[in-house]
Amino acid sequence: MTIPTGSRSQSVTWRLLLLTVAFHVLALRMAFEGFFTNDLVHGMAQFSQAHAEVKRVLLLVADGLRADLLFATHSFEGTVSGAPRVLAPHLRSIVEFRGAFGISHTRIPTESRHGHIAIIAGMHEDVSDITKSGTNFDSVFNQSAATFAFGSPDILPIFSYQGKVDMWSYAENQVDPTEGDARALDQWVLEKLQQVFKNSTTDPGLSARLRGDLVVFFLHLGGIDTAGHFHRPFSKEYMSGIQTVDEIVKQVEELMAAFYCDNDTAYIFTSDHGMSLIGTHGDGHPDNTRTPLIAWGKGVRGPLPDSEPSSHDEYSASWGLSHILRRDVEQADISAMMSSLLGTNWPVNSVGVLPDVDPARPGYLQPREGEKTLAEAALVNVQVRVNHRERRARSTQSITQPDSCSGLHPRAVDASTGLEDLFQAGRYPEVRMQATALIRDILDGLRRLQMIDRIALTMLAVVGYLGWAAFAAISLMPGRTLSEDPRSAVLAPSRIFAVAVLGCCWAVYVYQSLPPAYYLYAILPTYFWASVIVDVEFSSLWQRCGRGSLFRGALIIAALESMVIGYTYRVVWSAWFIVIGTIWPAYSFPLTLLSARRGLVCAWATCCLVSAVFPLLSDHQEESVVAILTGALLMGAIGLGGDRSRRTASDTNYHLLALSLIIWHLQTRAPVPRYHRSVGWFSFVSAAITPLVICRKLRDPRGRLLSAFLGFGAFFIWLAIRAEGLFYVVYSLTLVLWVEMESALRSSQLQQRNRTSATNPSDTHAYAHMHHTQADDLRIAVFFLFFSQVAFFGAGNVPSISAFYLAPVYRLVPVFKYYLMTALLVLKIFAPYMILGMNASLLNARLGLPPFRLLLIALPVHAVMPLTLFLNITDTGSWYSIGHRLSCFCACSSLLLFSVGACIAGELLVVIRGPRCKIEVVTSIVPTIDVQRNGIAG
């Protein structure tokens, strides 16, 4: 029996895989483009107040500091013995007697780069810009006469292109929480500031710059963030970091007073983001978005009695500050405060709103001229917003409602001019009141502008996903389809139709002045639908789809929607394991098969029920060396038990055992010797490479699978936090049993067909049943999609950027390196997918299907999930909800890309290539069935 895998079929397969990757990468970019882009426009005018309130502003940013852990009393009681009642007495005394305080609410992603840009530039950078090191944006630093910045080498270079910034940063190797005290980083910042003041006594030029007007000092204090990542927030190290920062703030105040001998400095203390319970950040969880804000010094008001109704809520009720007004702001508003205090031009593209604009609520400022200065600041704020909206509106046109959707309130410019008249007339309270209403109208109009882009992208996404599903499905259908006649996709009618539709789309985009990326987004959906519409006879296709097909389609959609629910409620994955482990065999397997393969069915049910436990475990886990070593020992036991006749594969076990011993030492908080880490890297890399080397030597696919299982298991020892290694073992065993279960069921089905056939079926007849896509293949493809999802969720992961533990990564990388740490975490996520891909390759062979067939069947089915999640994305509501919805969509698309890559790697690692190789791919159908794959056998 021969399975044809000629060049035509292979080209169709690879074309479909490449198009799948390309489309999903573009879809990911579409999500960010439509919902989370900044409003950066060029050619904007600049505005400033006539007079400055202070000569200098000192900005202190305590990286990774949570608002509750700074302000609350007894915040570490019960977690750190001997913890004081008040961690930061100096900052608390400022809140109670000298300054104004509140919470600065950040936006997603809650990362250091985005937080600092919001604080200093007043703009929200694109989510995708986290990978960039420098963008040409304006900032308070750039508008100052001189800025002196001290701190992290990861933060200061963001503003390095602005020539007015003098910076001092410590070396990257100093940020090693495993070898030193993170508080030393903050002490280094203080010492450098002291050194600069000392050097100015012998450097007239430096002294003149320090003593001039419009000066900004920026102190980035990164010790708290470093301690939180490695030790978690409710640790002694994090607590000590807060105490150190409080002392540094006190010393900085004393240093500034001694150097300047004046009262012309304003101080602002805040943080770029908070931190989750597990020591991470990035998503929209309230622990990550609520940061402290304290302002004091010249030009800043003192504490005010609490308002009625109270400004406090349940979050701050236990802080002991309920008698003082809490004034919350958005993080981007801080730049407006600094610009107003300094009297500099506001940064262009700033979206900040000065808290003092609204006369109904107390702000933070107390200027010399009182209401007049506040009204002037409100007028400047309106001018900045109106100018930004005018520039933004000119770049966008609407076909349906060109006036109302232009993005600019029709009375905005006139109202701005009216505000100037009111200001000149001295009617300052009216200026602030009307400015508040006008800014609200402008923000609403800006949202309408964004909706124009969003609607266009949403339409592209819907058309694209449906077109991709149709294109992939038609490629697999028998008859006159794309897969059997690839030249049909380039026929003249198809080309003419595609060019016409694409030209119309581009014409609309030109009229609307949409970004260049939109032109790229329209190409693939147009190609998909042009190919489907031109090359498919819908009448014959509809005749093939009976009621049974519609019913099966409804069941598949329901199954996929349940997986979508599983992104929020992980118990769904446990329910799936129970269903496929018990109900599926009882419903689908004949009684004779259940009796004959009783051991296999019991083992399958046991593995599924054990697997159902892992999604129920909490995603907030504590490190457990016992659980990590238990997983490693189980991997070693499986390797030794299944490898007695293959000595080469058993070498992987020694790598795993060596890793287990080293892990035991790395769990201590003492400094880790360098040779330990060197040995660890050698063991880690060699264990990962071993499968790639050994798999080329072994002729048995099961031996290759075992070798890969042991090699990739290294990721679940080195990078495990608790039970991930145990899940990896159970998950891999479940996949192996799944292959056996599907093979046994298919064998039974074919035997039944042979018995009921009028004639004795030949191998060719058996092949006819096996080669073409059957209804049961759709069910197998859905199972494949389930295993591709549970490979992520079962290991304790959740769709959140801050859900990945950094503590295990510090075992190999002591210094924070974004790309390297991300790569290690991705490898850990990808390891189960390698096992899934190899088992899928084996299952294709066991069922007599061509390579990638189950994956190709799953591709059109999978479109239901990302489309549902894309339509669920929003930018309204809490940042936690916003971030969760975006993360779910990104995770769904990424997991499919992982599955595609794993299946490709699985074919390369499992399939044995050679001239006309033969293996037994289906058992129990006949005594032996040899399958030839034109030189490729699996």
Side-chain angles (χ1 to χ4, degrees):
M1 182 181 61
T2 303
I3 297 178
T5 57
S7 59
R8 175 178 297 184
S9 177
Q10 291 179 358
S11 66
V12 170
T13 297
W14 285 107
R15 181 182 63 176
L16 190 55
L17 293 177
L18 291 175
L19 288 174
T20 296
V21 173
F23 175 72
H24 282 79
V25 170
L26 288 177
L28 283 170
R29 182 176 174 84
M30 271 195 276
F32 292 113
E33 185 91 29
F35 293 89
F36 302 98
T37 55
N38 60 46
D39 291 303
L40 185 66
V41 291
H42 301 285
M44 290 183 52
Q46 293 185 320
F47 302 91
S48 67
Q49 296 167 225
H51 304 288
E53 292 297 317
V54 297
K55 287 187 175 180
R56 67 197 70 89
V57 169
L58 193 146
L59 172 65
L60 302 103
V61 177
D63 202 316
L65 176 58
R66 290 169 46 153
D68 56 341
L69 296 186
L70 174 69
F71 291 131
T73 58
H74 305 289
S75 53
F76 284 84
E77 186 175 312
T79 58
V80 178
S81 60
R85 173 181 173 274
V86 177
L87 292 182
H90 181 70
L91 287 169
R92 190 175 183 87
S93 68
I94 294 173
V95 171
E96 292 181 323
F97 304 109
R98 292 196 286 147
F101 95 106
I103 295 176
S104 170
H105 296 273
T106 72
R107 285 184 52 169
I108 58 171
T110 48
E111 297 291 346
S112 291
R113 174 185 173 87
H114 292 77
H116 281 88
I117 290 177
I119 293 170
I120 299 167
M123 60 173 284
H124 299 293
E125 199 176 32
D126 288 357
V127 178
S128 58
D129 286 342
I130 192 171
T131 60
K132 301 176 183 177
S133 59
T135 304
N136 187 18
F137 54 85
D138 195 12
S139 73
V140 175
F141 292 175
N142 192 50
Q143 296 298 334
S144 68
T147 295
F148 302 89
F150 308 83
S152 168
D154 295 325
I155 300 302
L156 301 190
I158 297 173
F159 308 95
S160 61
Y161 74 94
Q162 300 169 351
K164 299 178 181 179
V165 182
D166 294 332
M167 55 183 60
W168 292 263
S169 60
Y170 40 77
E172 286 189 359
N173 57 12
Q174 292 181 252
V175 193
D176 185 352
T178 66
E179 294 190 2
D181 193 339
R183 294 176 296 178
L185 302 176
D186 299 338
Q187 291 290 348
W188 184 95
V189 170
L190 175 62
E191 293 169 2
K192 284 300 177 182
L193 178 62
Q194 294 171 334
Q195 186 66 42
V196 167
F197 283 162
K198 182 179 179 180
N199 292 343
S200 67
T201 59
T202 58
D203 187 340
L206 177 60
S207 178
R209 297 186 68 209
L210 287 170
R211 298 183 184 278
D213 295 340
L214 311 181
V215 176
V216 177
F217 289 90
F218 171 46
L219 275 60
H220 174 260
L221 307 174
I224 293 177
D225 187 67
T226 302
H229 283 316
F230 190 71
H231 302 286
R232 303 191 181 185
F234 288 93
S235 63
K236 180 180 179 181
E237 292 78 8
Y238 193 91
M239 182 191 74
S240 300
I242 297 176
Q243 294 173 309
T244 299
V245 165
D246 183 65
E247 182 62 28
I248 287 176
V249 172
K250 179 181 179 181
Q251 295 184 45
V252 166
E253 268 200 280
E254 296 172 350
L255 183 63
M256 298 291 287
F259 182 81
Y260 287 106
C261 299
D262 62 13
N263 185 28
D264 233 331
T265 305
Y267 299 87
I268 295 178
F269 177 87
T270 187
S271 179
D272 53 347
H273 56 75
M275 187 162 289
S276 69
L277 291 174
I278 63 175
T280 59
H281 52 83
D283 65 9
H285 192 279
D287 288 341
N288 294 329
T289 60
R290 294 185 290 210
T291 62
L293 174 62
I294 307 174
W296 71 100
K298 186 176 181 182
V300 181
R301 67 164 175 83
L304 297 175
D306 192 23
S307 59
E308 182 63 37
S310 176
S311 61
H312 293 268
D313 53 17
E314 184 180 357
Y315 179 64
S316 60
S318 62
W319 294 356
L321 300 171
S322 299
H323 59 290
I324 301 174
L325 179 73
R326 176 186 128 187
R327 181 62 164 93
D328 291 4
V329 302
E330 297 296 324
Q331 193 173 53
D333 299 344
I334 298 175
S335 69
M337 291 171 53
M338 292 191 289
S339 297
S340 183
L341 287 167
L342 286 170
T344 60
N345 288 326
W346 287 37
V348 297
N349 293 294
S350 171
V351 298
V353 178
L354 186 68
D356 299 79
V357 170
D358 188 355
R361 304 174 62 196
Y364 276 76
L365 305 183
Q366 189 176 30
R368 290 189 300 268
E369 299 185 16
E371 192 72 24
K372 178 181 178 180
T373 302
L374 295 179
E376 182 186 10
L379 178 59
V380 171
N381 204 158
V382 168
Q383 290 172 331
V384 171
R385 300 304 300 156
V386 168
N387 183 255
H388 181 265
R389 279 278 299 282
E390 283 183 314
R391 292 286 178 178
R392 179 70 173 84
R394 290 173 187 173
S395 64
T396 304
Q397 299 290 333
S398 173
I399 293 177
T400 57
Q401 295 176 306
D403 295 327
S404 62
C405 294
S406 64
L408 188 62
H409 191 278
R411 298 184 299 273
V413 178
D414 294 338
S416 177
T417 305
L419 287 179
E420 296 182 28
D421 296 337
L422 289 175
F423 180 78
Q424 295 299 328
R427 298 162 65 179
Y428 304 133
E430 292 184 49
V431 172
R432 295 174 64 193
M433 189 177 303
Q434 292 191 24
T436 301
L438 185 56
I439 290 175
R440 188 182 305 114
D441 289 340
I442 291 173
L443 293 176
D444 290 341
L446 181 60
R447 182 169 182 79
R448 288 197 299 271
L449 274 175
Q450 294 170 339
M451 285 301 297
I452 297 175
D453 296 354
R454 197 162 302 156
I455 291 173
L457 281 177
T458 301
M459 292 175 61
L460 276 176
V462 172
V463 173
Y465 274 112
L466 294 178
W468 168 63
F471 180 84
I474 295 302
S475 299
L476 297 174
M477 287 186 177
R480 186 173 179 269
T481 64
L482 299 172
S483 61
E484 296 183 3
D485 187 4
R487 295 172 298 173
S488 62
V490 294
L491 291 176
S494 177
R495 282 205 302 246
I496 295 173
F497 178 81
V499 171
V501 173
L502 193 61
C504 292
C505 292
W506 286 1
V508 173
Y509 299 160
V510 169
Y511 180 80
Q512 292 183 312
S513 300
L514 294 179
Y518 282 63
Y519 300 88
L520 181 62
Y521 299 152
I523 294 176
L524 284 181
T526 304
Y527 170 75
F528 292 151
W529 281 110
S531 301
V532 171
I533 292 175
V534 172
D535 295 315
V536 174
E537 297 179 1
F538 287 95
S539 58
S540 62
L541 183 63
W542 178 255
Q543 292 175 357
R544 298 181 199 174
C545 299
R547 293 183 178 180
S549 299
L550 295 177
F551 179 72
R552 282 192 296 269
L555 286 179
I556 291 173
I557 292 176
L560 295 172
E561 292 295 343
S562 72
M563 295 186 199
V564 171
I565 297 174
Y567 277 67
T568 303
Y569 303 100
R570 296 170 62 205
V571 67
V572 170
W573 308 114
S574 299
W576 261 88
F577 271 119
I578 294 174
V579 169
I580 67 173
T582 58
I583 299 178
W584 170 58
Y587 177 78
S588 300
F589 279 47
L591 292 177
T592 54
L593 181 60
L594 288 175
S595 176
R597 306 300 299 271
R598 186 183 301 108
L600 172 63
V601 174
C602 290
W604 163 254
T606 301
C607 278
C608 286
L609 293 177
V610 173
S611 298
V613 175
F614 291 97
L616 299 177
L617 300 178
S618 172
D619 55 324
H620 289 167
Q621 304 180 36
E622 296 292 335
E623 288 181 305
S624 172
V625 180
V626 174
I628 296 172
L629 292 180
T630 301
L633 293 175
L634 285 177
M635 295 179 206
I638 292 174
L640 293 175
D643 195 39
R644 294 173 182 173
S645 62
R646 290 182 292 273
R647 175 73 182 182
T648 53
S650 66
D651 292 341
T652 309
N653 296 310
Y654 302 117
H655 291 292
L656 297 178
L657 293 175
L659 287 169
S660 304
L661 295 175
I662 297 173
I663 282 284
W664 190 274
H665 296 286
L666 291 178
Q667 290 295 310
T668 63
R669 298 301 188 191
V672 180
R674 289 191 176 183
Y675 74 88
H676 273 194
R677 194 162 279 124
S678 299
V679 172
W681 267 109
F682 173 79
S683 301
F684 180 83
V685 174
S686 61
I689 294 178
T690 297
L692 304 179
V693 177
I694 291 182
C695 283
R696 307 311 302 173
K697 300 179 180 179
L698 299 176
R699 303 296 296 173
D700 184 358
R702 293 181 180 83
R704 294 185 171 194
L705 181 60
L706 177 62
S707 175
F709 165 77
L710 296 172
F712 296 124
F715 302 144
F716 283 89
I717 298 176
W718 273 105
L719 304 177
I721 192 73
R722 193 175 184 88
E724 298 99 305
L726 296 173
F727 166 77
Y728 176 72
V729 171
V730 177
Y731 176 78
S732 301
L733 291 175
T734 304
L735 288 177
V736 171
L737 292 174
W738 177 51
V739 174
E740 297 299 324
M741 290 284 287
E742 296 289 0
S743 301
L745 179 59
R746 181 60 58 89
S747 173
S748 175
Q749 291 172 344
L750 291 177
Q751 286 182 350
Q752 180 65 26
R753 290 194 187 104
N754 291 342
R755 283 194 296 265
T756 58
S757 177
T759 60
N760 187 30
S762 63
D763 285 350
T764 303
H765 184 73
Y767 162 73
H769 286 292
M770 297 173 62
H771 175 70
H772 293 299
T773 302
Q774 305 180 43
D776 201 44
D777 292 340
L778 290 174
R779 193 264 310 158
I780 299 175
V782 172
F783 277 24
F784 172 83
L785 290 177
F786 163 72
F787 282 115
S788 72
Q789 304 299 310
V790 82
F792 177 80
F793 289 95
N797 301 312
V798 295
S800 170
I801 193 174
S802 66
F804 302 103
Y805 295 83
L806 293 180
V809 183
Y810 280 116
R811 300 165 187 163
L812 295 172
V813 186
V815 179
F816 185 85
K817 295 183 178 179
Y818 178 81
Y819 294 107
L820 182 56
M821 288 182 164
T822 301
L824 291 175
L825 291 174
V826 170
L827 284 175
K828 177 186 174 184
I829 296 173
F830 189 65
Y833 286 88
M834 288 297 300
I835 306 302
L836 174 62
M838 297 177 75
N839 277 282
S841 176
L842 285 175
L843 184 56
N844 278 321
R846 294 285 295 273
L847 300 183
L849 298 174
F852 304 110
R853 179 50 62 114
L854 292 178
L855 173 65
L856 296 180
I857 297 173
L859 290 181
V861 175
H862 177 267
V864 174
M865 296 178 63
L867 179 57
T868 301
L869 293 170
F870 187 95
L871 296 176
N872 199 38
I873 299 176
T874 181
D875 62 349
T876 59
S878 69
W879 282 113
Y880 177 73
S881 174
I882 293 170
H884 175 71
R885 296 184 182 196
L886 175 65
S887 299
C888 288
F889 170 75
C890 294
C892 183
S893 299
S894 300
L895 296 186
L896 178 66
L897 296 177
F898 282 174
S899 301
V900 172
C903 286
I904 294 174
E907 285 290 335
L908 296 176
L909 292 177
V910 174
V911 173
I912 302 174
R913 298 179 181 273
R916 305 181 67 81
C917 293
K918 298 182 180 182
I919 65 168
E920 183 181 347
V921 295
V922 180
T923 58
S924 303
I925 300 177
V926 290
T928 300
I929 297 180
D930 292 333
V931 176
Q932 297 179 346
R933 286 184 167 182
N934 289 346
I936 302 177

